[in-house]
Amino acid sequence: MNKKSFWTGYGIGVVIVIIGAFIFKANMEVPNTPLDNLELHDLSGKQVKAAELLDKPLIVNYWATWCAPCREEFPIFEKVKAKAASKVNIVMISDEKSSTIEAFNKKNKYTFTYLLAGKAISFPQRPVTAVYNKKGELVSQIMGTVTEKQLLDLIDNAGKE
């Protein structure tokens, strides 16, 4: 291989990597998730209106039982819920079957409110944590796991809205 062929191939490779990075980043953007667009049900199948959850700011964690990072952050959410229950509502939303969520909860004994999404959740990955103010407006979203400090900061910021 001569030098010219090498550098041409190298340049093409660099361009492909840059384009791939832009495509990857665009696909990793978390879609805005207005509460009004969610069709929510409790585990018994009863419809839940988003407005019922907005007596205070709301943290929604979009998760799945098959998602290891989701399960890993549950103790953090449990701890934050114990500390900040008077300031915020926390709900866990999945698009899995109620029997799957019930089996998970029976095994793990968390105190969360579990809700089911009527439509499949279309995030490029999970978990996704969304924070809504009392008006139901999206204040912030985090894709990936969150820390206790991040959650407490999100709660403080949502209460200022």
Side-chain angles (χ1 to χ4, degrees):
M1 175 187 292
N2 64 33
K3 283 186 175 184
K4 185 176 180 181
S5 296
F6 172 80
W7 287 109
T8 302
Y10 180 79
I12 291 171
V14 168
V15 169
I16 290 171
V17 168
I18 291 170
I19 291 171
F22 281 110
I23 291 170
F24 179 77
K25 184 179 183 316
N27 287 332
M28 294 304 286
E29 295 293 322
V30 180
N32 186 336
T33 311
L35 281 176
D36 296 342
N37 291 353
L38 298 175
E39 296 174 17
L40 301 174
H41 298 88
D42 65 17
L43 295 181
S44 68
K46 179 184 170 226
Q47 185 173 9
V48 176
K49 301 274 187 202
E52 297 171 32
L53 306 169
L54 293 172
D55 57 320
K56 46 192 161 185
L58 175 66
I59 292 181
V60 174
N61 182 263
Y62 298 95
W63 73 290
T65 58
W66 49 260
C67 168
C70 299
R71 295 188 313 269
E72 289 171 8
E73 72 180 1
F74 267 43
I76 295 168
F77 275 94
E78 188 75 18
K79 195 173 184 182
V80 168
K81 182 180 178 215
K83 287 182 178 181
S86 64
K87 296 180 185 178
V88 68
N89 289 323
I90 298 176
V91 298
M92 308 310 240
I93 297 179
S94 178
D95 56 3
E96 296 175 281
K97 294 179 183 177
S98 62
S99 59
T100 303
I101 305 303
E102 288 167 349
F104 173 85
N105 193 42
K106 185 176 182 181
K107 183 178 177 183
N108 294 286
K109 305 287 188 206
Y110 292 112
T111 62
F112 304 123
T113 299
Y114 293 99
L115 296 176
L116 304 173
K119 299 182 221 175
I121 298 170
S122 62
F123 296 133
Q125 77 176 48
R126 294 185 203 166
V128 172
T129 302
V131 182
Y132 301 90
N133 63 20
K134 288 180 14 174
K135 299 175 195 170
E137 300 166 333
L138 184 65
V139 175
S140 63
Q141 277 188 145
I142 297 174
M143 187 161 59
T145 56
V146 295
T147 65
E148 181 179 349
K149 181 178 178 350
Q150 282 177 308
L151 278 175
L152 292 170
D153 288 347
L154 290 170
I155 291 167
D156 287 343
N157 290 335
K160 294 175 187 175
E161 297 294 318

